[in-house]
Amino acid sequence: DAGVIQSPRHEVTEMGQEVTLRCKPISGHDYLFWYRQTMMRGLELLIYFNNNVPIDDSGMPEDRFSAKMPNASFSTLKIQPSEPRDSAVYFCASSDRRAEKLFFGSGTQLSVL
Amino acid sequence: AQTVTQSQPEMSVQEAETVTLSCTYDTSENNYYLFWYKQPPSRQMILVIRQEAYKQQNATENRFSVNFQKAAKSFSLKISDSQLGDTAMYFCAFLSYNNNDMRFGAGTRLTVKP
């Protein structure tokens, strides 16, 4: 398996634009997690899915953020409209055993100008 | 809420020597997991080692071992025979049995010098 695949690797956009981050989990994993990493706050869980259903979205910072998982092999994290303070590295991770054994993607470096 | 503290923002070690990274955590729970993750310059988070709280025996993975002191809520990582490829950020993390919200420390930047 190729591991967790995220795209794009880098994204530069202007304030107010819509941003969509993509994730393909490892085949057979039924848990998918979105994390955000910043210098100020470190790594934070934004939302996670189990069997494509959002279970806990309490970490989503505000309504500008939304996440979907239309099928077992694809998830998106959308920010609309984006703001400079959203600049961070966004990680997707998947697991077949809750969060005990996470496999992380390479992350998307988002810069909002 | 659980918190994870890594008190060493940066550390360095000579190649082939041993280094210990510190981690403490705060929880009122009895059942949980503890982890060390490595983040090299490539940015990907890589699991180094995992410990289940109910196990008294310290986990080991080749050159990596932990010193788990449950009463003291301490979980340090020892890297033996350090290699240049060990240069990375190291994150300590806590996971309760009751949820999926893994809590990470602020990280320790380790540099292995030739």
Side-chain angles (χ1 to χ4, degrees):
Chain A
D1 201 315
V4 177
I5 299 173
Q6 290 188 247
S7 63
R9 184 161 174 80
H10 302 277
E11 176 80 30
V12 180
T13 190
E14 293 187 347
M15 183 173 63
Q17 296 297 307
E18 178 179 295
V19 175
T20 299
L21 311 181
R22 296 172 175 79
C23 175
K24 176 178 168 50
I26 293 173
S27 177
H29 284 189
D30 51 10
Y31 285 89
L32 184 139
F33 301 78
W34 283 100
Y35 284 87
R36 179 172 67 175
Q37 185 178 34
T38 62
M39 289 296 292
M40 291 296 294
R41 301 174 67 89
L43 273 153
E44 303 173 286
L45 177 65
L46 300 177
I47 185 172
Y48 80 89
F49 296 82
N50 179 214
N51 291 322
N52 313 337
V53 176
I55 302 301
D56 184 355
D57 65 353
S58 59
M60 296 286 261
E62 47 195 279
D63 292 346
R64 297 185 296 107
F65 286 69
S66 62
K68 294 182 179 180
M69 193 165 185
N71 57 62
S73 58
F74 184 65
S75 177
T76 59
L77 178 67
K78 186 176 294 187
I79 308 173
Q80 165 65 16
S82 58
E83 297 182 3
R85 59 193 168 117
D86 301 331
S87 297
V89 179
Y90 291 82
F91 286 100
C92 176
S94 71
S95 173
D96 62 354
R97 286 172 56 185
R98 300 174 54 248
E100 302 157 35
K101 196 175 180 181
L102 291 178
F103 290 84
F104 282 83
S106 296
T108 295
Q109 173 82 58
L110 174 65
S111 298
V112 183
L113 307 177
Chain B
Q2 294 86 8
T3 57
V4 179
T5 302
Q6 294 179 249
S7 58
Q8 306 151 315
E10 293 188 21
M11 292 192 72
S12 63
V13 62
Q14 290 297 131
E15 194 176 6
E17 294 189 348
T18 295
V19 64
T20 299
L21 309 183
S22 300
C23 173
T24 58
Y25 58 95
D26 183 29
T27 184
S28 58
E29 299 186 20
N30 195 46
N31 296 318
Y32 49 87
Y33 299 91
L34 295 163
F35 307 83
W36 279 97
Y37 279 88
K38 169 185 177 181
Q39 187 177 39
S42 65
R43 202 168 67 198
Q44 188 160 17
M45 296 287 286
I46 302 165
L47 177 64
V48 174
I49 200 164
R50 183 180 86 164
Q51 176 84 38
E52 296 186 60
Y54 74 89
K55 292 185 178 179
Q56 293 186 345
Q57 187 173 7
N58 289 324
T60 62
E61 287 288 342
N62 301 313
R63 298 182 296 108
F64 299 87
S65 61
V66 298
N67 183 5
F68 174 46
Q69 301 291 327
K70 190 172 184 179
K73 296 180 182 174
S74 171
F75 185 62
S76 61
L77 175 69
K78 185 172 81 172
I79 305 174
S80 304
D81 186 25
S82 297
Q83 300 176 359
L84 296 177
D86 295 334
T87 293
M89 284 288 288
Y90 286 82
F91 294 94
C92 180
F94 173 100
L95 176 68
S96 166
Y97 271 27
N98 298 322
N99 62 51
N100 277 303
D101 187 359
M102 187 177 295
R103 298 299 175 102
F104 289 85
T108 296
R109 183 175 302 279
L110 176 67
T111 301
V112 180
K113 299 180 179 179

